[in-house]
């Protein structure tokens, strides 16, 4: 088996070019004599040849060191996570400009430190953690406080962090192949995934612990604001803190998935080369990933355009922070799923919303132009058909693609949306709610049943119906003009040799990756 030094994909023995990127493969070195390289099972488990360094008794120490690792083993994970971790403070430098408008505090002169730490704590919400902040205002002996919690996922920062980590992991994989001449094995894969997850969790936890905003401002009240004959200043107190533990767990999970995809791709392809069912699902999963990536990019751009047209410049700038969220909600609504706003309270009765509040078939208070969102669903189906044709999937492969696409897209749509809750502990003084307060909340998202049904139908259209439409092949283009001039003398007819027996035609999936069914 030959391993490409450029992309790390393993190709079958004797191949001259990489089956993934098409670059020439390095020539295999001549096999050493058995007396020069006698490898035993114990040596293979130790990851080396012959006796371990330090003598026969050092094998237990080397195993323990390999499990924990030193600076050299941890450095690839650290180097991959550092650029992704740097994305959070860099984005917070821009995000801090919009913090006063986001909290409706434009009239207060918040310091740069308060705005930046608040933005940094908000940035940790990109990993699914809630963002909590407290606003206390008032004059005199008591302050009226508001404890607010905001949940928004996924965010644009989530994708930026994931892209930065992905490129770092790809660089670490190429460095490993250049150093060892091979991709990671199973034991090394588990260690790399664990190290990357731990480093990402540690970096996120450190940022979350540092991202705490605490600011107090005072203003003179109006002439009538007098308490006990003394003019009391108006006090404003703002506190924002990141939920570092949920953010660390979310970043660790995302980093582990990315590390598994970056380092384990060669192992998965090698296993798929030997197992037929795994090969079929690998092709379907690859097509599903391509379709989801292109679809999310297109719908995010469409969501930004809709917000810019409907809400103006300010709303468009705010939407830049949640572009993937907008894209998923727009695609779900255009697919036919219901979308609505639910209210809840622990004191006041809130009527349950009629499911769904609005959909493509019942716009309610929305304008007729919202029916144009169905174009997003049509475009997603076309992208899915393109992915099926690009990977040359047969009917069974397209069915696997439809199921995978519907399940993954439904999960992303159901996670998208926003939720906000506000607890007011001191607002009802002198009533039956004194000392207890009350909580109100809002949630905005897609309906579960509508999402599942719509995605199944559109996945069937994109993966099963559209690829089945026959496409006429183009006529071959001549390589050059037909030469003019006197006719050339005809050559003597050479008797044709008997044609070779026809070769068996490989299935479409094997033509893509160059696999031989004899080994499947």
């Amino acid at each position: 088996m030959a391993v490409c030094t450029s992309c790390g994909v393993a190709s079958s023995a004797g191949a001259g070019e990489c089956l993934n990127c098409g670059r020439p493969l390095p020539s295999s070195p001549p096999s050493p004599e058995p007396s020069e390289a006698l490898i035993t099972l114990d040596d293979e488990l130790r990851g080396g040849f012959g006796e371990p360094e330090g003598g026969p008794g050092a094998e237990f120490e080397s195993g323990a060191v390999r499990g924990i690792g030193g600076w050299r083993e941890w450095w690839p994970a650290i180097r991959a996570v550092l650029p992704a971790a740097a994305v959070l403070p860099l984005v917070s430098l821009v995000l801090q400009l919009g913090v006063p408008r986001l909290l409706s505090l434009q009239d207060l002169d918040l310091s740069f430190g308060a705005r930046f730490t608040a933005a940094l704590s908000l940035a940790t919400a990109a990993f699914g953690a809630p963002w909590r902040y407290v606003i206390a205002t008032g004059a005199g002996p008591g302050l009226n406080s508001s404890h607010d919690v905001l949940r928004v996922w996924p965010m644009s920062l989530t994708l930026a962090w994931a892209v930065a980590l992905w490129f770092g992991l790809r660089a670490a994989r190429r460095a490993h192949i250049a150093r060892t001449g091979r991709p990671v094995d199973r034991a090394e894969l588990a260690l790399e995934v664990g190290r990357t997850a731990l480093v990402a969790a540690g970096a996120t936890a450190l940022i979350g612990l540092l991202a705490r905003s605490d600011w107090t401002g005072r203003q003179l009240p109006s002439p009538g604001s007098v308490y006990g004959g003394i003019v009391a200043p108006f006090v404003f107190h703002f506190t924002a803190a990141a939920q570092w533990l949920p953010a660390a767990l979310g970043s660790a999970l995302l980093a582990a998935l990315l590390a598994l995809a970056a380092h384990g791709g060669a192992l998965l392809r090698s296993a798929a080369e030997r197992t037929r069912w795994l090969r079929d699902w690998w092709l379907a999963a690859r097509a599903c990933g391509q379709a989801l990536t292109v679809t999310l990019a297109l719908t995010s751009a469409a969501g930004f355009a809709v917000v810019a047209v409907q809400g103006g410049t300010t709303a468009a700038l705010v939407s830049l922070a949640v572009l993937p969220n907008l894209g998923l909600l727009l695609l779900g609504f255009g697919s036919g799923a219901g979308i609505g706003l639910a209210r809840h309270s622990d004191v006041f009765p809130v009527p349950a919303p009629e499911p769904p509040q609005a959909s493509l078939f019942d716009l309610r208070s929305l304008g007729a132009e919202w029916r144009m969102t169905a174009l997003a669903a049509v475009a997603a189906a076309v992208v899915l058909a393109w992915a099926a044709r690009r990977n040359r999937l047969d009917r069974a492969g397209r069915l696997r693609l439809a199921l995978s696409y519907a399940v993954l897209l439904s999960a992303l749509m159901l996670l998208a949306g926003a939720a906000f809750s506000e607890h007011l502990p001191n607002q009802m003084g002198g009533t039956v709610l004194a000392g207890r307060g009350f909580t109100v909340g809002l949630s905005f998202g897609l309906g579960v049943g509508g999402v599942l049904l719509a995605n199944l139908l559109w996945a069937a259209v994109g993966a099963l119906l559209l690829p089945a439409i026959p496409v006429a092949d183009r006529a071959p283009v001549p390589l050059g003009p037909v030469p003019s001039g006197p006719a050339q003398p005809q050559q003597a007819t050479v008797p044709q040799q008997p044609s070779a027996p026809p070769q068996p035609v490989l299935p479409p999936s094997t033509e893509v990756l160059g696999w031989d069914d004899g080994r499947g």
Side-chain angles (χ1 to χ4, degrees), residues 299-450:
T299 53
S300 298
F304 175 76
V306 170
V307 172
V309 172
Q310 297 287 335
T313 305
T314 302
L317 293 177
V318 174
S319 68
L320 290 176
V322 288
L323 285 181
N325 209 313
L326 289 176
L328 290 170
L329 294 177
L330 182 68
L331 179 59
F333 183 81
S335 300
I339 190 170
L341 181 68
R343 301 176 178 87
H344 61 87
S345 173
D346 60 352
V347 174
F348 303 106
V350 178
E354 300 177 7
Q357 284 192 344
S359 69
L360 194 65
F361 310 103
D362 186 6
L363 296 176
R364 299 295 177 94
S365 60
L366 299 177
E369 66 273 8
W370 283 92
R371 297 191 188 277
M372 298 295 293
T373 57
L375 295 177
V378 175
V382 172
V383 170
L384 188 60
W386 163 80
R389 286 185 178 275
R390 186 175 188 271
N391 291 272
R392 302 181 183 179
L393 299 180
D394 55 9
R395 183 176 300 176
R398 296 198 300 270
L399 180 60
R400 299 185 190 96
L401 172 61
L403 292 176
S404 304
Y405 180 84
V407 170
L408 291 178
L409 185 58
S410 298
L412 290 175
M413 285 184 177
L414 294 177
L415 289 174
F420 174 80
S421 64
E422 183 177 25
H423 179 66
L424 306 172
N426 304 321
Q427 294 294 319
M428 304 298 291
T431 67
V432 294
L433 299 177
R436 182 163 66 95
F438 65 97
T439 301
V440 294
L442 300 172
S443 60
F444 180 75
L446 298 165
V448 178

